[in-house]
Amino acid sequence: MDLRLPQDLPLRNQKVFLRCDFNVPLKDGCIQDPSRIHAVLPTIDYLIQHECSIILASHLGRPKSKFDSELSLKPIEIYLKSKGYDVQLDDFHDRNATRIKSQKLLKGQILLLENVRFYEGETKNDQFLGQFYASMAPFFINDAFGAAHRAHASVVSTLKYYEPNNIAAGFLMDKEIKGLNQILQPKKPLICIFGGSKIADKISLIKHFINRADHILIGGAMAYAFLKAQNISIGLSLIHEGSMEQAQEIINLIKSSSTQLHLPIDHIISPPEGSEVLASITDDVQIPTNQKALDIGPETIASYSEEIQKASTILWNGPMGWFEEPTYATGTLAIAEQIAERCQAGAYAVVGGGDSLAAINLAGVAGNISHMSTGGGASLEFLSGVKLPGLVNLIKA
Ligand code: ADP
Ligand code: MG
């Protein structure tokens, strides 16, 4: 899948509508982690070097289709200014006035539109809003991979108001697609490690890798549904409604496939309620009736590590346990370290999912991971084989 890129467009001294993903974590108006902003600077810088002026748009959080000062892009404007960009925030309440401002932009200047989700038309994929965005620039660049799974006005409806050849993906989008495609067209063996809390969130992803992956390793709370489906005692471990049936469906599909399923063979369990004892390791796969499993055990770590060290390609989504609590973080951190080690030996690994990325950072191995996919829901949908609505028109004919 080849995307049209900025260098494929005649951009010199042009106006460009650039959709980014500035959905950064904020606390009291302060940006907690600016990585999402840094990730799109290559595209912004490219446009500025080519003497373009930019109409920049992004969503932030989930405002209820009206102004919400806590979700304003003001902190983004301040941040970009601090990095030397000539940027001005505009609430585009008066669209004519905004259009006039956009026409007056000089080379290298940026008009940052306020959070696009302040307007109802954005999430409704409203064509008039899409047309308004396009009325400010003849070129459209989408660098918001994290929003590519959303049929929203600044991602989809705006597309039809540009010449098809005036539309391209940004460099971050390209990096994400190239990284994720290495998992969809992998060098074998491909090992997928799935964890986290709910099977329901991941079922289409897991199914998509049956017959594609050589091994699927399961951890996290979702593992208990798989164990219970096989009549193994899971004690008080977390299990969501309907998850046993979903686990059973996956087990059945895997049975008649070329993929091998691996489940935890031991666990770290919390002490029984009211007891003074510490967390402990189970003797085997069974979990005592009055206890709860919160991490994979050492035998499981050893056997999963062995599989990881044989992989050429690795996909990891979902922590192996309640890793936010240090007592139950060992399994997750061990898997993070194993993946990093395998990458150093030449394997290609993609890690996706907010909590899994946090775990990689906690383990301090981010620098060794081939691709840290920041797309959240968009990454998971892309890997599940879904055609993302925001991507379709960006692919080279
Ligand atoms: P990601 O964000 O990487 O896609 P998820 O959101 O699916 O991952 O799952 C991560 C969450 O699951 C974490 O908050 C983690 O603490 C929780 N979790 C994983 N295993 C367990 C477990 N055994 N018991 C309780 N919570 C768990
Ligand atoms: Mg999560």
Side-chain angles (χ1 to χ4, degrees):
M1 181 194 287
D2 265 348
L3 298 178
R4 220 174 300 109
L5 293 174
Q7 57 268 33
D8 298 318
L9 309 185
L11 284 174
R12 174 88 40 204
N13 195 10
Q14 291 287 348
K15 286 205 166 59
V16 179
F17 180 72
L18 174 61
R19 175 60 157 99
C20 289
D21 177 2
F22 291 140
N23 194 16
V24 293
L26 287 172
K27 202 173 169 198
D28 304 324
C30 292
I31 297 170
Q32 301 296 297
D33 174 8
S35 345
R36 283 210 159 129
I37 307 179
H38 285 256
V40 293
L41 291 183
T43 303
I44 295 179
D45 291 343
Y46 178 92
L47 295 177
I48 292 176
Q49 279 154 18
H50 285 75
E51 303 175 316
C52 294
S53 40
I54 306 170
I55 294 92
L56 190 54
S58 173
H59 69 285
L60 174 61
R62 294 185 178 193
K64 295 190 172 68
S65 300
K66 58 174 198 247
F67 182 79
D68 175 346
S69 59
E70 295 199 349
L71 295 174
S72 164
L73 294 195
K74 189 78 193 165
I76 311 286
E77 181 198 28
I78 295 170
Y79 190 85
L80 287 172
K81 273 194 173 140
S82 77
K83 298 283 166 200
Y85 293 92
D86 184 354
V87 56
Q88 192 197 350
L89 183 67
D90 184 282
D91 69 8
F92 67 110
H93 201 66
D94 175 349
R95 293 191 188 164
N96 258 332
T98 302
R99 203 178 288 114
I100 291 166
K101 263 192 211 168
S102 76
Q103 283 159 1
K104 289 186 178 159
L105 285 176
L106 302 174
K107 289 175 187 176
Q109 287 184 326
I110 301 172
L111 186 68
L112 173 64
L113 300 186
E114 213 4 316
N115 190 343
V116 288
R117 288 192 190 161
F118 286 171
Y119 294 94
E120 198 182 29
E122 175 62 20
T123 50
K124 295 206 161 142
N125 201 21
D126 177 70
Q127 56 172 323
F128 295 107
L129 187 55
Q131 190 173 25
F132 161 69
Y133 297 140
S135 71
M136 294 185 281
F139 291 91
F140 174 60
I141 293 182
N142 188 346
D143 211 10
F145 179 68
H149 60 318
R150 305 279 186 212
H152 289 177
S154 64
V155 179
V156 173
S157 82
T158 194
L159 287 165
K160 62 174 178 285
Y161 301 102
Y162 303 86
E163 288 289 325
N165 285 330
N166 284 3
I167 296 168
F171 300 122
L172 174 64
M173 181 81 94
D174 188 45
K175 194 169 135 200
E176 280 280 4
I177 299 302
K178 287 205 170 98
L180 298 178
N181 267 332
Q182 296 226 34
I183 299 297
L184 294 177
Q185 284 131 32
K187 191 168 163 220
K188 301 277 235 154
L190 168 66
I191 309 274
C192 293
I193 309 152
F194 297 122
S197 51
K198 275 196 201 164
I199 299 187
D201 294 347
K202 315 272 168 93
I203 190 157
S204 8
L205 179 70
I206 301 175
K207 277 188 184 166
H208 198 236
F209 283 96
I210 299 176
N211 279 324
R212 286 173 193 265
D214 298 278
H215 299 272
I216 291 181
L217 319 182
I218 303 280
M222 69 159 76
Y224 314 127
F226 283 88
L227 296 177
K228 192 156 187 209
Q230 298 187 324
N231 287 322
I232 292 164
S233 141
I234 63 157
L236 301 174
S237 309
L238 184 71
I239 180 161
H240 290 96
E241 212 188 304
S243 60
M244 229 174 76
E245 292 72 18
Q246 289 163 334
Q248 190 60 58
E249 188 192 348
I250 293 171
I251 292 170
N252 293 345
L253 288 169
I254 289 186
K255 257 187 208 152
S256 52
S257 78
S258 59
T259 302
Q260 206 181 322
L261 178 68
H262 301 253
L263 298 174
I265 47 176
D266 63 349
H267 320 273
I268 307 291
I269 48 175
S270 64
E273 190 111 356
S275 115
E276 296 286 307
V277 296
L278 301 172
S280 55
I281 305 169
T282 56
D283 297 330
D284 55 27
V285 71
Q286 307 284 344
I287 300 163
T289 41
N290 58 345
Q291 285 178 275
K292 194 190 247 190
L294 290 166
D295 192 10
I296 55 173
E299 298 285 338
T300 309
I301 295 177
S303 105
Y304 284 11
S305 302
E306 203 175 305
E307 292 305 332
I308 292 169
Q309 294 314 323
K310 288 188 259 178
S312 294
T313 310
I314 303 163
L315 169 65
W316 183 28
N317 170 254
M320 297 290 102
W322 184 26
F323 78 103
E324 293 91 337
E325 187 59 40
T327 312
Y328 304 107
T330 314
T332 302
L333 295 178
I335 295 300
E337 280 154 19
Q338 288 291 327
I339 296 173
E341 192 181 316
R342 191 62 193 154
C343 285
Q344 282 177 308
Y348 189 89
V350 169
V351 179
D355 294 293
S356 310
L357 294 179
I360 289 284
N361 287 322
L362 189 67
V365 295
N368 297 325
I369 305 299
S370 324
H371 183 60
M372 302 264 283
S373 183
T374 57
S379 309
L380 300 192
E381 284 196 25
F382 186 82
L383 287 171
S384 305
V386 175
K387 273 203 173 110
L388 305 186
L391 267 187
V392 181
N393 294 53
L394 311 179
I395 299 166
K396 263 187 188 167

